[in-house]
Amino acid sequence: MLGLFLSTIAFFVAAFFMNRYLDAQGLDRNLSRKILVGTLATIVSFGAGWAVDKLDGDADAPQKNVALTDIMQGGDPTQALKVLSGLK
């Protein structure tokens, strides 16, 4: 959840500063500029989300391949809920 929150903030901050930079360059606000800003802000957002996942330790979660039967036998309902919802 933290990754989603921070990547959303990174998207809007990146778009704001790119728009300010392009305004200073004197470029008009046409469709190609909006596509450029949206694409670059999305790349920054993905990078921020990846960095948060990497620091949080969730980036390697899909590679763990945890079996649902192992979690159910473990008896931890929180872990079972995370696996069922796709969080881990």
Side-chain angles (χ1 to χ4, degrees), residues 68 71-72 76-88:
L68 186 58
I71 291 174
M72 290 302 196
D76 185 10
T78 307
Q79 187 68 21
L81 185 61
K82 286 181 181 180
V83 169
L84 290 174
S85 65
L87 294 175
K88 279 196 177 198

Side-chain angles (χ1 to χ4, degrees), residues 8-47:
T8 302
I9 290 174
F11 177 85
F12 286 111
V13 168
F16 174 76
F17 283 111
M18 281 186 267
N19 277 322
R20 280 188 54 182
Y21 176 75
L22 293 175
D23 284 340
Q25 299 300 320
L27 295 173
D28 57 342
R29 291 182 176 251
N30 54 13
L31 182 62
S32 61
R33 175 180 162 174
K34 291 178 184 178
I35 291 172
L36 174 70
V37 169
T39 302
L40 293 177
T42 301
I43 291 170
V44 169
S45 174
F46 281 149

